[in-house]
């Protein structure tokens, strides 16, 4: 398992459109992709789970990837967040 913390930089946080982009990125990998925020763990492959975490701009989340392509998955997830998730 690999993990990394990243700060949400897009101004509106993880609302529907960025959550969809995050999920689309996570679904490209066979590994399990989750993130923690506070006391919440969310499945990054589920839009409802991502939205339910209520992540806002400036919040720090930690991605956890576990599986055959975990390193590639983690790199892609961090890059997606750092690029602003389409915003």
């Amino acid at each position: 398992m690999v993990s990394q913390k990243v700060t949400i930089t897009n101004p509106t946080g993880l609302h529907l459109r960025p959550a969809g982009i995050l999920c689309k990125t996570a679904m490209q990998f066979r590994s399990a992709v989750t993130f923690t925020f506070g006391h919440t763990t969310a499945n990054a492959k589920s839009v409802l789970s991502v939205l339910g975490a209520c992540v806002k701009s400036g919040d720090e989340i930690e991605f956890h990837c576990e599986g055959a392509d975990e390193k590639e998955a983690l790199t892609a997830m961090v890059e997606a967040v750092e690029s602003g998730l389409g915003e």
Side-chain angles (χ1 to χ4, degrees):
M1 183 174 83
V2 293
S3 63
Q4 183 175 336
K5 291 182 180 180
V6 65
T7 301
I8 302 300
T9 56
N10 57 312
T12 55
L14 292 182
H15 66 87
L16 189 55
R17 187 175 48 240
I21 293 170
L22 190 74
C23 291
K24 188 175 181 180
T25 303
M27 286 190 280
Q28 296 173 8
F29 300 96
R30 290 180 293 153
S31 296
V33 182
T34 60
F35 69 85
T36 54
F37 172 62
H39 297 294
T40 304
T41 299
N43 177 358
K45 295 183 180 184
S46 164
V47 174
L48 291 176
S49 184
V50 172
L51 291 173
C54 299
V55 179
K56 307 213 180 339
S57 180
D59 289 342
E60 184 178 72
I61 64 174
E62 184 172 8
F63 283 111
H64 304 275
C65 302
E66 185 171 3
D69 52 2
E70 61 190 22
K71 290 179 183 172
E72 296 87 354
L74 181 63
T75 299
M77 298 305 291
V78 170
E79 286 176 359
V81 170
E82 288 178 346
S83 71
L85 294 166
E87 302 220 333

